[in-house]
Amino acid sequence: RIPNPHIHIPIPVRPTTALTFNTMAAAAPAPVAQKFVDANPYKWPYNGNLKPENTALIIIDMQTDFCGVGGYVDKMGYDISLTRKPIEPIRKVLEVMRKEGYHIMHTREGHRP
């Protein structure tokens, strides 16, 4: 059984028992390289904090039934050129994100018999 994704389950956090402070002057933090995706109407993310530790690529329902020759949409007689149009751009993004170490998630629709 798949849990309801809309139910919030609190995760217990272990409280900190002691704090220590460094009284010496801290060095200035190293500048963080900003990465953006050139998007419209503005670049994304807003703060340039695009990195594998906080970003994942989620690809939804890019499967034969929706965009493949011989799939459900094709067999129903619909023009699949529109659903196939994002395949090449997605492929390019996947190549870059895999090379950079980002998490990649694919979903697919499925039905039990």
Side-chain angles (χ1 to χ4, degrees):
R1 184 162 184 250
I2 299 173
N4 183 337
H6 302 290
I7 296 174
H8 174 74
I9 301 172
I11 299 172
V13 178
R14 186 174 167 188
T16 304
T17 56
L19 296 175
T20 58
F21 296 94
N22 185 349
T23 57
M24 300 179 70
V32 176
Q34 292 184 327
K35 289 186 178 181
F36 294 95
V37 173
D38 193 18
N40 190 3
Y42 48 83
K43 292 180 179 181
W44 182 89
Y46 72 94
N47 63 357
N49 193 17
L50 181 63
K51 56 188 176 181
E53 294 82 19
N54 67 7
T55 307
L57 176 63
I58 303 173
I59 300 171
I60 301 171
D61 289 344
M62 294 303 295
Q63 60 195 57
T64 302
D65 263 358
F66 300 116
C67 52
V69 175
Y72 176 78
V73 173
D74 184 37
K75 287 182 179 179
M76 293 299 293
Y78 296 106
D79 178 9
I80 61 171
S81 66
L82 294 176
T83 56
R84 293 184 63 78
K85 194 172 184 176
I87 291 174
E88 191 55 35
I90 290 171
R91 190 176 312 193
K92 290 177 182 177
V93 171
L94 266 171
E95 182 180 333
V96 171
M97 294 191 82
R98 283 179 175 151
K99 181 181 172 188
E100 296 285 326
Y102 286 84
H103 293 282
I104 310 294
M105 295 178 220
H106 297 266
T107 70
R108 66 175 184 86
E109 181 178 12
H111 302 273
R112 293 183 179 173

